Structures are given as structure tokens and as C-alpha cells.
Amino acid sequence: MSAANKLKSIVPLLDRVLVQRIKPQQKTSSGILIPEKSQEVLNEGYIVAVGKGALNKEGKHIPLQVNAGDKVILPPYGGSSVKVQGEEYLLFRDSEILAKVVE
């Protein structure tokens, strides 16, 4: 099974979203490698998959504020780590995402 197919088999429940954090730059513009300890942690990522939304009192789903493919700003800590074939993803609740980046 390929990585894309395995990723499609991960479907977040309720108001959770699956996010892939943007990787920090590993080289400077002049080609010098930046040590891993010196790389800054980016608090941005792309939404890979979304759940159906939380349930209200009537049992209907409340739609999420983000969609798959959206670029978002993440909190510095939190989220549940999930690894799929060596790639790391994070599960967040919709309410934990700080902002959506509109380009």
C-alpha cells in the first residue's frame, strides 16, 4: 500500500484535523547546511484531512472552519503525533488551530 493510500485510510473523527507541519529550511541561500538544533520550528502546516465536525445538541454536525489543503498556523505545543511510513503528522481539534493563512 502506498503512502497516499495509507494516508487516505486515516480519517479524523468529529472536529479533529490531520496536519502536516511545514519542514524548516535545511540550507541557507548560500548553500550552508543548518544544524538540526539551530533550525527554527515552524508553526505552520497544511491540512491533510478533516473530520465531519462536532455534534450539536440536536445531533447535527457543526461544519469545520478549515478544509483539506488549507495552510494554517498551529500552536507551539499540542496535537497528537501520528507517523505514517516515516512521515509525521499531527492531529488537532478544529478549535486548537490558531489561524488560517489566506494567500
Side-chain angles (χ1 to χ4, degrees):
M1 187 181 270
S2 72
N5 287 338
K6 279 196 175 187
L7 199 55
K8 287 181 183 177
S9 66
I10 298 176
V11 179
L13 299 177
L14 297 175
D15 63 338
R16 290 178 179 80
V17 296
L18 187 66
V19 179
Q20 184 172 27
R21 195 179 290 268
I22 296 175
K23 293 180 176 57
Q25 187 176 3
Q26 296 180 347
K27 283 186 180 181
T28 63
S29 58
S30 59
I32 298 172
L33 292 174
I34 301 171
E36 193 171 312
K37 286 186 176 181
S38 298
Q39 292 176 0
E40 59 184 83
V41 176
L42 298 176
N43 289 338
E44 294 181 355
Y46 287 101
I47 303 291
V48 178
V50 296
K52 291 184 177 182
L55 297 173
N56 63 14
K57 291 181 181 178
E58 290 83 36
K60 297 186 182 192
H61 289 282
I62 300 169
L64 299 178
Q65 297 179 353
V66 294
N67 296 312
D70 286 349
K71 186 176 181 181
V72 293
I73 297 176
L74 305 168
Y77 301 103
S80 300
S81 181
V82 178
K83 277 197 171 186
V84 179
Q85 289 191 343
E87 288 287 327
E88 187 172 339
Y89 299 92
L90 297 167
L91 274 170
F92 284 97
R93 288 190 179 272
D94 181 47
S95 59
E96 293 175 340
I97 296 191
L98 302 177
K100 181 164 66 168
V101 178
V102 180
E103 295 176 346

